[in-house]
Amino acid sequence: MMLSAWIKIPYTIFVCVLLTVYWMERGPAHFLWLSDIALFVILLALWTESRFLTSMVTVGVLLPEFAWNLDFFLRLVAGFDVIGLNATGYMFESRYTQLFKLFSLFHVALPPLMLWMLYRLGYDTRAVYAQTLLVWVLLPVCYLATDPARNLNWVFGIGNPPQTWVSGVLYLVLMMLAYPLLVLAPTHFMLKAIFSGGANQGIPERE
């Protein structure tokens, strides 16, 4: 066993409670955020000790999670939106409960957890292709089936309010191209360089 039960059990309890809180506060559509999907995939990866699943979500959300943390902590210190994306504005709005905000702090803990898991399990280079496929399916679903006001995964614009400088469909296509090029590819090469070695080259997982 490469990953301790002392991590697996508390994380499982946390995710189960978060699922209840988020469902009651924001409804099931909220779980279409890539970061929320990562939260649940990491739960499965912890128990199966899957290098592939860990790599897939890490390559997909590590940079966005770092951006969330930068935005949140700068705003916490400065008292206003420093970056201008309003990505974490909800953490400072009274219309959301303190319990919801408390559980939203999973964004702070998720990056170090994912990196620790990669340190233990290694990085699977196949992950970038799987994550690209997920993004190319998820973004159109968010665009076609969710409320534009919620702007899930920013399919209607970077930050809020939604963009108006190009057509919605063209913006969606640009997002589907930009995400693999500007987020997934740089993260992939960074993780490949850091977690190099035989275990990281996409070989079959250990028994």
Side-chain angles (χ1 to χ4, degrees):
M1 182 182 296
M2 300 183 69
L3 304 179
S4 171
W6 290 103
I7 298 293
K8 296 175 180 178
I9 294 173
Y11 186 85
T12 302
I13 296 172
F14 174 82
V15 170
C16 289
V17 178
L18 177 143
L19 174 62
T20 303
V21 171
Y22 272 29
W23 191 289
M24 294 176 62
E25 288 262 352
R26 303 293 290 159
H30 191 82
F31 299 113
L32 291 175
W33 280 104
L34 277 167
S35 56
D36 290 74
I37 293 173
L39 192 73
F40 295 111
V41 174
I42 283 294
L43 176 61
L44 179 60
L46 272 171
W47 285 102
T48 59
E49 302 193 354
S50 171
R51 180 174 63 251
F52 176 74
L53 291 178
T54 303
S55 302
M56 179 179 169
V57 293
T58 305
V59 78
V61 304
L62 186 63
L63 284 184
E65 289 300 293
F66 280 152
W68 190 99
N69 278 272
L70 180 64
D71 185 69
F72 174 71
F73 286 108
L74 284 177
R75 184 164 184 156
L76 190 65
V77 172
F80 61 92
D81 185 9
V82 176
I83 298 178
L85 295 179
N86 198 30
T88 60
Y90 67 93
M91 295 293 288
F92 303 89
E93 296 178 5
S94 58
R95 62 193 178 107
Y96 297 101
T97 67
Q98 294 300 319
L99 187 61
F100 175 79
K101 295 176 185 178
L102 176 64
F103 277 92
S104 291
L105 290 175
F106 81 82
H107 291 283
V108 178
L110 192 59
L113 174 61
M114 294 188 299
L115 291 174
W116 173 77
M117 291 175 66
L118 286 185
Y119 171 74
R120 297 301 303 271
L121 301 172
Y123 176 64
D124 191 325
T125 56
R126 300 169 299 174
V128 67
Y129 305 110
Q131 185 67 25
T132 298
L133 179 60
L134 173 62
V135 166
W136 283 349
V137 171
L138 182 64
L139 295 189
V141 168
C142 290
Y143 182 82
L144 295 171
T146 66
D147 183 0
R150 300 189 68 169
N151 200 13
L152 295 179
N153 294 307
W154 291 1
V155 293
F156 296 99
I158 301 296
N160 290 296
Q163 64 84 31
T164 56
W165 54 279
V166 296
S167 71
V169 173
L170 176 58
Y171 173 80
L172 175 64
V173 172
L174 292 175
M175 277 287 289
M176 293 175 67
L177 295 174
Y179 202 90
L181 291 175
L182 302 181
V183 177
L184 301 185
T187 309
H188 166 72
F189 289 115
M190 179 186 70
L191 295 178
K192 184 179 179 181
I194 295 173
F195 301 101
S196 59
N200 309 331
Q201 303 305 313
I203 61 174
E205 299 195 17
R206 65 180 183 83
E207 297 295 331

